[in-house]
Amino acid sequence: MRRESPASPLRVALRWASARLPPGCSSTGRLAIPTSAGAARGGLRRDVRVIGLVGGAHFVSHFFQLTLPPLFPLLRDDFGVSYVQLGLVMSLFYASSGIGQTASGFLVDHFGARRVLPAGMALVALAMALAGLAPSYWALVAVALLGGLGNSVFHPADYSIFNASVSSSRLGRAYGVHSLCGNLGWVVAPAVVVALSAAFGWRAALLIVGGLGVAAALALATQRETLDDRRELAGLRSVPVGGWSASVKLLMARPILIAFAFFALLATSQIGIQTFSVSAMVAIYEAPLGLATGALTAFFVGSAAGVLLGAFLADRTSRHDLLASVGMCVGALASLVMASAVPPLAVLPVVMALAGFCLGATTPSRDMLVRAATPPGASGKVYGFVYSGLDLGSSLTPLLFGWLLDRGEPRMVFVASAAFMLLTIATVVQVRRQAAPTRVRVPAHR
């Protein structure tokens, strides 16, 4: 008798994400209301395929975000630069990505995500390969700017495909698998890059991962029929078409601006913990470096678990603002506990895992809130604009939290992170209050 091979974590997540709800019912348990794309969306098998492909693309995006930082000690020696200068490389990467996301959103709405997504993946992969050939620090800066532009396409393209192709009863779980795959990219990248660098040198390591990324982009380009975001307007008898003024009016709508602020605040708190919590724990608790690093790993593991639970809950409630608010409150409390210097060393990974779990649990709900504020046919530009808030927060965070550490205030790393988490609650509530009117009155533009 043939033995079943163990299912991979990604396959288990995809099976879970595709679980059916009772026919005719929405995620809240009420009778489903047809959406603009409801008739055109596929069934279970198609949803699984779409979620898998888009989730894989998001894995690649996050992998390349953490390709260069693990190599900083080697780059510092070879180029003769400081860590501040290397930090600037990543700040420029995120700044380029943030500026490019809004433009990428317009490209997605005009040309279609199935064309833009593989092109962006190929560009960021090519940039990492070129980093392996960089003759100087300033060439590395130019490569980072190029890579940021490639990275800018993922969020507007990914969510445009999801909103158009995935059944509404599974959208929360689609968003959850999407975030989980991104977290896995962060987890895998340092281990892979460092191992390749130890075996072949850092330049060869970047050439290898960059080449594999280009190959993945070419493979994704063959799946255009599956990566369809043109169904979002299916079923609508007529859709008002506006010009640039209508698009600007849409992005300047109050709930969209509040969503942008929400993402900027969220990124500031999360990137602060991801980037500087190890240094802060070493300074506050005199923790061994291995323990502090293990606590950060616990944060990522907790975040992944939180995403899974949050996605399940997001498909079964309409109160996404409440889920996000509760998660932020408990996450802020855990961060303040870390700042207190009270927990013993053995408890630090547990507290960090709790903080990660709470932040991860808010992720699917935040995406559902943005979807509620997005008119049909405008997913690309709206998601591109609001997600540029993540890159804005990510680009400013290293400067702010690095300044706190330089001033000898390691506790303030966790205090400031908690403060930003609490500030996001007001933005979440405002997005929910004004989302529905915006969907009705703002015309879509393609």
Side-chain angles (χ1 to χ4, degrees):
M1 191 171 76
R2 190 182 63 175
R3 296 181 60 186
E4 294 283 342
S5 59
S8 67
L10 178 57
R11 184 174 300 173
V12 171
L14 288 175
R15 287 177 182 169
W16 163 84
S18 61
R20 292 179 182 269
L21 292 179
C25 289
S26 70
S27 59
T28 61
R30 303 184 186 90
L31 185 64
I33 299 174
T35 62
S36 59
R41 287 173 179 157
L44 171 64
R45 186 170 297 179
R46 177 180 173 80
D47 282 355
V48 171
R49 185 171 179 81
V50 171
I51 294 170
L53 288 172
V54 176
H58 200 222
F59 172 92
V60 172
S61 168
H62 281 229
F63 182 95
F64 284 124
Q65 288 175 21
L66 276 187
T67 294
L68 290 178
L71 301 177
F72 277 179
L74 302 177
L75 298 176
R76 179 174 178 267
D77 293 339
D78 281 9
F79 291 131
V81 295
S82 67
Y83 282 116
V84 172
Q85 289 173 291
L86 292 173
L88 179 62
V89 170
M90 295 310 299
S91 290
L92 292 175
F93 174 91
Y94 286 116
S96 175
S97 179
I99 294 172
Q101 278 206 61
T102 302
S104 295
F106 280 88
L107 292 176
V108 165
D109 286 340
H110 186 74
F111 294 106
R114 57 184 181 177
R115 295 184 178 90
V116 176
L117 181 58
M121 184 188 295
L123 183 58
V124 68
L126 178 62
M128 291 303 109
L130 291 175
L133 302 174
S136 67
Y137 168 77
W138 293 109
L140 195 65
V141 169
V143 165
L145 291 171
L146 184 66
L149 289 177
N151 188 68
S152 70
V153 311
F154 287 93
H155 285 135
D158 291 356
Y159 286 104
S160 182
I161 293 169
F162 277 160
N163 291 343
S165 298
V166 176
S167 302
S168 58
S169 61
R170 302 186 186 102
L171 267 178
R173 282 162 287 178
Y175 295 156
V177 171
H178 183 260
S179 298
L180 177 62
C181 289
N183 288 344
L184 290 176
W186 278 338
V187 171
V188 170
V192 170
V193 173
V194 170
L196 289 174
S197 178
F200 307 108
W202 69 266
R203 291 186 180 275
L206 292 177
L207 286 170
I208 291 171
V209 297
L212 291 175
V214 171
L218 293 176
L220 188 67
T222 66
Q223 303 297 316
R224 288 186 176 181
E225 291 302 316
T226 302
L227 302 175
D228 186 6
D229 65 328
R230 294 294 184 175
R231 304 182 180 199
E232 193 171 359
L233 298 179
L236 293 182
R237 294 181 178 177
S238 62
V239 178
V241 178
W244 283 100
S245 61
S247 297
V248 172
K249 181 181 179 181
L250 167 62
L251 298 183
M252 293 298 104
R254 183 178 176 85
I256 304 301
L257 290 176
I258 294 173
F260 175 90
F262 167 64
F263 278 80
L265 293 170
L266 180 65
T268 302
S269 61
Q270 288 185 323
I271 297 298
I273 291 178
Q274 292 176 16
T275 307
F276 294 103
S277 63
V278 171
S279 299
M281 281 185 280
V282 170
I284 297 171
Y285 296 91
E286 297 183 356
L289 183 60
L291 176 64
T293 303
L296 180 59
T297 301
F299 176 87
F300 286 123
V301 173
S303 178
V307 166
L308 291 177
L309 177 62
F312 178 85
L313 295 176
D315 273 337
R316 283 159 175 77
T317 182
S318 61
R319 292 306 307 271
H320 302 112
D321 58 324
L322 181 61
L323 283 175
S325 297
V326 171
M328 288 296 168
C329 281
V330 182
L333 178 61
S335 187
L336 291 175
V337 170
M338 292 295 298
S340 69
V342 171
L345 289 178
V347 180
L348 296 185
V350 177
V351 180
M352 287 289 286
L354 176 62
F357 179 86
C358 294
L359 293 181
T362 69
T363 302
S365 289
R366 80 185 184 191
D367 295 332
M368 295 293 279
L369 286 167
V370 175
R371 177 178 178 268
T374 304
S379 291
K381 61 176 69 71
V382 170
Y383 277 90
F385 178 69
V386 300
Y387 263 92
S388 65
L390 280 180
D391 289 321
L392 174 64
S394 299
S395 64
L396 297 178
T397 293
L399 302 177
L400 171 63
F401 285 84
W403 178 74
L404 291 173
L405 282 174
D406 286 340
R407 288 179 56 86
E409 298 288 348
R411 295 189 184 189
M412 288 303 298
V413 169
F414 294 106
V415 172
S417 294
F420 286 118
M421 291 178 206
L422 294 175
L423 285 174
T424 62
I425 296 175
T427 62
V428 166
V429 173
Q430 290 298 317
V431 169
R432 173 180 168 81
R433 286 179 178 175
Q434 302 184 45
T438 302
R439 286 181 65 85
V440 172
R441 68 172 179 264
V442 179
H445 169 59
R446 289 188 79 86

mmCIF file of all heavy atoms in Angstrom, residues 84-120:
data_model
loop_
_atom_site.group_PDB
_atom_site.id
_atom_site.type_symbol
_atom_site.label_atom_id
_atom_site.label_comp_id
_atom_site.label_asym_id
_atom_site.label_seq_id
_atom_site.Cartn_x
_atom_site.Cartn_y
_atom_site.Cartn_z
ATOM 1 N N VAL A 84 25.748 52.768 8.745
ATOM 2 C CA VAL A 84 24.770 53.819 8.423
ATOM 3 C C VAL A 84 24.599 53.919 6.912
ATOM 4 O O VAL A 84 23.474 54.039 6.400
ATOM 5 C CB VAL A 84 25.208 55.171 9.012
ATOM 6 C CG1 VAL A 84 24.294 56.290 8.512
ATOM 7 C CG2 VAL A 84 25.184 55.126 10.540
ATOM 8 N N GLN A 85 25.705 53.856 6.181
ATOM 9 C CA GLN A 85 25.626 53.910 4.725
ATOM 10 C C GLN A 85 24.907 52.689 4.162
ATOM 11 O O GLN A 85 24.134 52.802 3.205
ATOM 12 C CB GLN A 85 27.034 54.013 4.128
ATOM 13 C CG GLN A 85 27.699 55.359 4.359
ATOM 14 C CD GLN A 85 29.149 55.362 3.895
ATOM 15 O OE1 GLN A 85 30.000 54.696 4.491
ATOM 16 N NE2 GLN A 85 29.423 56.094 2.838
ATOM 17 N N LEU A 86 25.129 51.529 4.763
ATOM 18 C CA LEU A 86 24.428 50.333 4.304
ATOM 19 C C LEU A 86 22.943 50.402 4.668
ATOM 20 O O LEU A 86 22.088 49.937 3.916
ATOM 21 C CB LEU A 86 25.069 49.087 4.920
ATOM 22 C CG LEU A 86 26.482 48.768 4.420
ATOM 23 C CD1 LEU A 86 27.090 47.628 5.217
ATOM 24 C CD2 LEU A 86 26.462 48.414 2.932
ATOM 25 N N GLY A 87 22.643 50.985 5.826
ATOM 26 C CA GLY A 87 21.245 51.195 6.176
ATOM 27 C C GLY A 87 20.550 52.107 5.182
ATOM 28 O O GLY A 87 19.364 51.932 4.875
ATOM 29 N N LEU A 88 21.310 53.092 4.667
ATOM 30 C CA LEU A 88 20.747 53.990 3.665
ATOM 31 C C LEU A 88 20.354 53.234 2.403
ATOM 32 O O LEU A 88 19.372 53.584 1.741
ATOM 33 C CB LEU A 88 21.764 55.084 3.325
ATOM 34 C CG LEU A 88 21.334 56.107 2.259
ATOM 35 C CD1 LEU A 88 20.108 56.880 2.726
ATOM 36 C CD2 LEU A 88 22.491 57.047 1.927
ATOM 37 N N VAL A 89 21.107 52.186 2.071
ATOM 38 C CA VAL A 89 20.774 51.378 0.899
ATOM 39 C C VAL A 89 19.367 50.815 1.025
ATOM 40 O O VAL A 89 18.551 50.893 0.090
ATOM 41 C CB VAL A 89 21.800 50.233 0.714
ATOM 42 C CG1 VAL A 89 21.332 49.243 -0.351
ATOM 43 C CG2 VAL A 89 23.161 50.802 0.331
ATOM 44 N N MET A 90 19.032 50.253 2.193
ATOM 45 C CA MET A 90 17.705 49.683 2.382
ATOM 46 C C MET A 90 16.638 50.762 2.503
ATOM 47 O O MET A 90 15.498 50.571 2.058
ATOM 48 C CB MET A 90 17.695 48.779 3.621
ATOM 49 C CG MET A 90 18.569 47.551 3.498
ATOM 50 S SD MET A 90 18.298 46.615 1.961
ATOM 51 C CE MET A 90 16.567 46.151 2.122
ATOM 52 N N SER A 91 16.980 51.898 3.089
ATOM 53 C CA SER A 91 16.017 53.002 3.150
ATOM 54 C C SER A 91 15.639 53.463 1.748
ATOM 55 O O SER A 91 14.468 53.727 1.460
ATOM 56 C CB SER A 91 16.596 54.172 3.957
ATOM 57 O OG SER A 91 16.694 53.848 5.323
ATOM 58 N N LEU A 92 16.629 53.533 0.859
ATOM 59 C CA LEU A 92 16.356 53.935 -0.518
ATOM 60 C C LEU A 92 15.574 52.855 -1.263
ATOM 61 O O LEU A 92 14.734 53.167 -2.109
ATOM 62 C CB LEU A 92 17.667 54.236 -1.243
ATOM 63 C CG LEU A 92 18.415 55.485 -0.752
ATOM 64 C CD1 LEU A 92 19.754 55.614 -1.456
ATOM 65 C CD2 LEU A 92 17.578 56.742 -0.989
ATOM 66 N N PHE A 93 15.835 51.598 -0.948
ATOM 67 C CA PHE A 93 15.071 50.501 -1.545
ATOM 68 C C PHE A 93 13.595 50.662 -1.218
ATOM 69 O O PHE A 93 12.727 50.600 -2.102
ATOM 70 C CB PHE A 93 15.603 49.160 -1.020
ATOM 71 C CG PHE A 93 14.800 47.960 -1.459
ATOM 72 C CD1 PHE A 93 15.135 47.279 -2.617
ATOM 73 C CD2 PHE A 93 13.719 47.507 -0.712
ATOM 74 C CE1 PHE A 93 14.404 46.160 -3.026
ATOM 75 C CE2 PHE A 93 12.982 46.394 -1.110
ATOM 76 C CZ PHE A 93 13.323 45.722 -2.271
ATOM 77 N N TYR A 94 13.277 50.878 0.066
ATOM 78 C CA TYR A 94 11.881 51.007 0.472
ATOM 79 C C TYR A 94 11.272 52.319 -0.014
ATOM 80 O O TYR A 94 10.078 52.374 -0.333
ATOM 81 C CB TYR A 94 11.761 50.892 1.986
ATOM 82 C CG TYR A 94 11.930 49.481 2.499
ATOM 83 C CD1 TYR A 94 12.991 49.135 3.339
ATOM 84 C CD2 TYR A 94 11.036 48.485 2.130
ATOM 85 C CE1 TYR A 94 13.144 47.831 3.803
ATOM 86 C CE2 TYR A 94 11.183 47.179 2.588
ATOM 87 C CZ TYR A 94 12.236 46.862 3.420
ATOM 88 O OH TYR A 94 12.387 45.575 3.869
ATOM 89 N N ALA A 95 12.076 53.385 -0.066
ATOM 90 C CA ALA A 95 11.553 54.648 -0.581
ATOM 91 C C ALA A 95 11.179 54.518 -2.055
ATOM 92 O O ALA A 95 10.124 54.990 -2.496
ATOM 93 C CB ALA A 95 12.592 55.758 -0.393
ATOM 94 N N SER A 96 12.040 53.861 -2.823
ATOM 95 C CA SER A 96 11.751 53.632 -4.237
ATOM 96 C C SER A 96 10.512 52.773 -4.405
ATOM 97 O O SER A 96 9.656 53.027 -5.254
ATOM 98 C CB SER A 96 12.957 52.959 -4.903
ATOM 99 O OG SER A 96 12.684 52.611 -6.240
ATOM 100 N N SER A 97 10.391 51.738 -3.565
ATOM 101 C CA SER A 97 9.220 50.869 -3.623
ATOM 102 C C SER A 97 7.950 51.636 -3.266
ATOM 103 O O SER A 97 6.913 51.473 -3.905
ATOM 104 C CB SER A 97 9.408 49.687 -2.676
ATOM 105 O OG SER A 97 8.284 48.833 -2.689
ATOM 106 N N GLY A 98 8.035 52.479 -2.234
ATOM 107 C CA GLY A 98 6.862 53.234 -1.822
ATOM 108 C C GLY A 98 6.385 54.214 -2.872
ATOM 109 O O GLY A 98 5.189 54.314 -3.163
ATOM 110 N N ILE A 99 7.329 54.940 -3.471
ATOM 111 C CA ILE A 99 6.966 55.887 -4.525
ATOM 112 C C ILE A 99 6.422 55.151 -5.745
ATOM 113 O O ILE A 99 5.469 55.587 -6.386
ATOM 114 C CB ILE A 99 8.193 56.747 -4.902
ATOM 115 C CG1 ILE A 99 8.596 57.635 -3.706
ATOM 116 C CG2 ILE A 99 7.898 57.611 -6.131
ATOM 117 C CD1 ILE A 99 9.906 58.370 -3.916
ATOM 118 N N GLY A 100 7.027 54.004 -6.032
ATOM 119 C CA GLY A 100 6.616 53.263 -7.222
ATOM 120 C C GLY A 100 5.297 52.536 -7.082
ATOM 121 O O GLY A 100 4.655 52.222 -8.088
ATOM 122 N N GLN A 101 4.844 52.277 -5.838
ATOM 123 C CA GLN A 101 3.630 51.482 -5.675
ATOM 124 C C GLN A 101 2.396 52.162 -6.250
ATOM 125 O O GLN A 101 1.556 51.513 -6.879
ATOM 126 C CB GLN A 101 3.396 51.154 -4.193
ATOM 127 C CG GLN A 101 4.196 49.971 -3.723
ATOM 128 C CD GLN A 101 3.567 49.261 -2.543
ATOM 129 O OE1 GLN A 101 2.459 48.760 -2.624
ATOM 130 N NE2 GLN A 101 4.297 49.212 -1.439
ATOM 131 N N THR A 102 2.259 53.465 -6.040
ATOM 132 C CA THR A 102 1.086 54.150 -6.591
ATOM 133 C C THR A 102 1.110 54.109 -8.109
ATOM 134 O O THR A 102 0.088 53.818 -8.757
ATOM 135 C CB THR A 102 1.048 55.606 -6.097
ATOM 136 O OG1 THR A 102 1.023 55.619 -4.663
ATOM 137 C CG2 THR A 102 -0.184 56.319 -6.629
ATOM 138 N N ALA A 103 2.284 54.378 -8.699
ATOM 139 C CA ALA A 103 2.399 54.300 -10.157
ATOM 140 C C ALA A 103 2.138 52.890 -10.650
ATOM 141 O O ALA A 103 1.464 52.681 -11.677
ATOM 142 C CB ALA A 103 3.791 54.769 -10.598
ATOM 143 N N SER A 104 2.627 51.898 -9.916
ATOM 144 C CA SER A 104 2.381 50.509 -10.297
ATOM 145 C C SER A 104 0.900 50.178 -10.247
ATOM 146 O O SER A 104 0.401 49.400 -11.064
ATOM 147 C CB SER A 104 3.154 49.562 -9.369
ATOM 148 O OG SER A 104 4.541 49.715 -9.517
ATOM 149 N N GLY A 105 0.186 50.769 -9.276
ATOM 150 C CA GLY A 105 -1.247 50.547 -9.195
ATOM 151 C C GLY A 105 -1.971 51.012 -10.439
ATOM 152 O O GLY A 105 -2.886 50.342 -10.941
ATOM 153 N N PHE A 106 -1.576 52.159 -10.971
ATOM 154 C CA PHE A 106 -2.183 52.654 -12.208
ATOM 155 C C PHE A 106 -1.846 51.725 -13.380
ATOM 156 O O PHE A 106 -2.690 51.474 -14.242
ATOM 157 C CB PHE A 106 -1.691 54.073 -12.497
ATOM 158 C CG PHE A 106 -2.391 55.127 -11.697
ATOM 159 C CD1 PHE A 106 -1.942 55.496 -10.442
ATOM 160 C CD2 PHE A 106 -3.516 55.762 -12.198
ATOM 161 C CE1 PHE A 106 -2.588 56.460 -9.698
ATOM 162 C CE2 PHE A 106 -4.178 56.730 -11.471
ATOM 163 C CZ PHE A 106 -3.710 57.092 -10.213
ATOM 164 N N LEU A 107 -0.599 51.228 -13.397
ATOM 165 C CA LEU A 107 -0.213 50.294 -14.460
ATOM 166 C C LEU A 107 -1.034 49.011 -14.382
ATOM 167 O O LEU A 107 -1.456 48.464 -15.406
ATOM 168 C CB LEU A 107 1.276 49.975 -14.359
ATOM 169 C CG LEU A 107 2.251 51.109 -14.661
ATOM 170 C CD1 LEU A 107 3.686 50.663 -14.427
ATOM 171 C CD2 LEU A 107 2.082 51.611 -16.095
ATOM 172 N N VAL A 108 -1.267 48.534 -13.153
ATOM 173 C CA VAL A 108 -2.053 47.317 -12.965
ATOM 174 C C VAL A 108 -3.473 47.520 -13.478
ATOM 175 O O VAL A 108 -4.030 46.664 -14.190
ATOM 176 C CB VAL A 108 -2.063 46.906 -11.480
ATOM 177 C CG1 VAL A 108 -3.150 45.876 -11.204
ATOM 178 C CG2 VAL A 108 -0.698 46.346 -11.083
ATOM 179 N N ASP A 109 -4.093 48.646 -13.126
ATOM 180 C CA ASP A 109 -5.460 48.898 -13.561
ATOM 181 C C ASP A 109 -5.555 49.103 -15.070
ATOM 182 O O ASP A 109 -6.601 48.851 -15.674
ATOM 183 C CB ASP A 109 -6.027 50.129 -12.838
ATOM 184 C CG ASP A 109 -6.361 49.840 -11.377
ATOM 185 O OD1 ASP A 109 -6.511 48.657 -11.041
ATOM 186 O OD2 ASP A 109 -6.450 50.794 -10.588
ATOM 187 N N HIS A 110 -4.469 49.566 -15.690
ATOM 188 C CA HIS A 110 -4.507 49.854 -17.129
ATOM 189 C C HIS A 110 -4.109 48.645 -17.969
ATOM 190 O O HIS A 110 -4.788 48.296 -18.932
ATOM 191 C CB HIS A 110 -3.584 51.027 -17.449
ATOM 192 C CG HIS A 110 -3.660 51.476 -18.881
ATOM 193 N ND1 HIS A 110 -4.727 52.194 -19.375
ATOM 194 C CD2 HIS A 110 -2.813 51.287 -19.927
ATOM 195 C CE1 HIS A 110 -4.539 52.441 -20.671
ATOM 196 N NE2 HIS A 110 -3.374 51.892 -21.023
ATOM 197 N N PHE A 111 -2.983 47.989 -17.597
ATOM 198 C CA PHE A 111 -2.468 46.891 -18.412
ATOM 199 C C PHE A 111 -2.849 45.515 -17.882
ATOM 200 O O PHE A 111 -2.748 44.522 -18.611
ATOM 201 C CB PHE A 111 -0.935 46.975 -18.505
ATOM 202 C CG PHE A 111 -0.441 48.183 -19.245
ATOM 203 C CD1 PHE A 111 0.123 49.253 -18.566
ATOM 204 C CD2 PHE A 111 -0.541 48.254 -20.627
ATOM 205 C CE1 PHE A 111 0.586 50.370 -19.238
ATOM 206 C CE2 PHE A 111 -0.078 49.365 -21.315
ATOM 207 C CZ PHE A 111 0.482 50.430 -20.622
ATOM 208 N N GLY A 112 -3.252 45.427 -16.628
ATOM 209 C CA GLY A 112 -3.589 44.146 -16.033
ATOM 210 C C GLY A 112 -2.468 43.602 -15.177
ATOM 211 O O GLY A 112 -1.287 43.694 -15.531
ATOM 212 N N ALA A 113 -2.830 43.026 -14.026
ATOM 213 C CA ALA A 113 -1.835 42.509 -13.088
ATOM 214 C C ALA A 113 -1.051 41.346 -13.667
ATOM 215 O O ALA A 113 0.113 41.138 -13.327
ATOM 216 C CB ALA A 113 -2.524 42.089 -11.790
ATOM 217 N N ARG A 114 -1.670 40.562 -14.541
ATOM 218 C CA ARG A 114 -0.991 39.371 -15.059
ATOM 219 C C ARG A 114 0.198 39.739 -15.939
ATOM 220 O O ARG A 114 1.065 38.890 -16.180
ATOM 221 C CB ARG A 114 -1.969 38.506 -15.832
ATOM 222 C CG ARG A 114 -2.675 39.192 -16.980
ATOM 223 C CD ARG A 114 -3.704 38.270 -17.612
ATOM 224 N NE ARG A 114 -4.391 38.891 -18.737
ATOM 225 C CZ ARG A 114 -5.288 38.272 -19.482
ATOM 226 N NH1 ARG A 114 -5.597 37.009 -19.225
ATOM 227 N NH2 ARG A 114 -5.877 38.889 -20.485
ATOM 228 N N ARG A 115 0.246 40.963 -16.434
ATOM 229 C CA ARG A 115 1.420 41.438 -17.170
ATOM 230 C C ARG A 115 2.420 42.131 -16.248
ATOM 231 O O ARG A 115 3.633 41.972 -16.383
ATOM 232 C CB ARG A 115 0.988 42.396 -18.287
ATOM 233 C CG ARG A 115 0.141 41.759 -19.382
ATOM 234 C CD ARG A 115 -0.144 42.764 -20.481
ATOM 235 N NE ARG A 115 -0.905 42.164 -21.566
ATOM 236 C CZ ARG A 115 -2.226 42.128 -21.629
ATOM 237 N NH1 ARG A 115 -2.947 42.661 -20.642
ATOM 238 N NH2 ARG A 115 -2.850 41.568 -22.646
ATOM 239 N N VAL A 116 1.903 42.923 -15.327
ATOM 240 C CA VAL A 116 2.772 43.747 -14.481
ATOM 241 C C VAL A 116 3.498 42.908 -13.434
ATOM 242 O O VAL A 116 4.683 43.143 -13.151
ATOM 243 C CB VAL A 116 1.942 44.866 -13.806
ATOM 244 C CG1 VAL A 116 2.815 45.674 -12.847
ATOM 245 C CG2 VAL A 116 1.332 45.779 -14.862
ATOM 246 N N LEU A 117 2.819 41.917 -12.861
ATOM 247 C CA LEU A 117 3.418 41.142 -11.767
ATOM 248 C C LEU A 117 4.686 40.400 -12.191
ATOM 249 O O LEU A 117 5.722 40.525 -11.522
ATOM 250 C CB LEU A 117 2.375 40.172 -11.200
ATOM 251 C CG LEU A 117 2.824 39.295 -10.027
ATOM 252 C CD1 LEU A 117 3.309 40.150 -8.862
ATOM 253 C CD2 LEU A 117 1.691 38.379 -9.573
ATOM 254 N N PRO A 118 4.688 39.614 -13.281
ATOM 255 C CA PRO A 118 5.942 38.951 -13.670
ATOM 256 C C PRO A 118 7.053 39.936 -14.019
ATOM 257 O O PRO A 118 8.231 39.671 -13.749
ATOM 258 C CB PRO A 118 5.536 38.114 -14.895
ATOM 259 C CG PRO A 118 4.060 37.940 -14.779
ATOM 260 C CD PRO A 118 3.567 39.208 -14.159
ATOM 261 N N ALA A 119 6.678 41.068 -14.612
ATOM 262 C CA ALA A 119 7.693 42.063 -14.972
ATOM 263 C C ALA A 119 8.366 42.628 -13.721
ATOM 264 O O ALA A 119 9.594 42.786 -13.673
ATOM 265 C CB ALA A 119 7.052 43.191 -15.786
ATOM 266 N N GLY A 120 7.565 42.934 -12.692
ATOM 267 C CA GLY A 120 8.142 43.448 -11.455
ATOM 268 C C GLY A 120 9.019 42.424 -10.759
ATOM 269 O O GLY A 120 10.095 42.753 -10.234
#
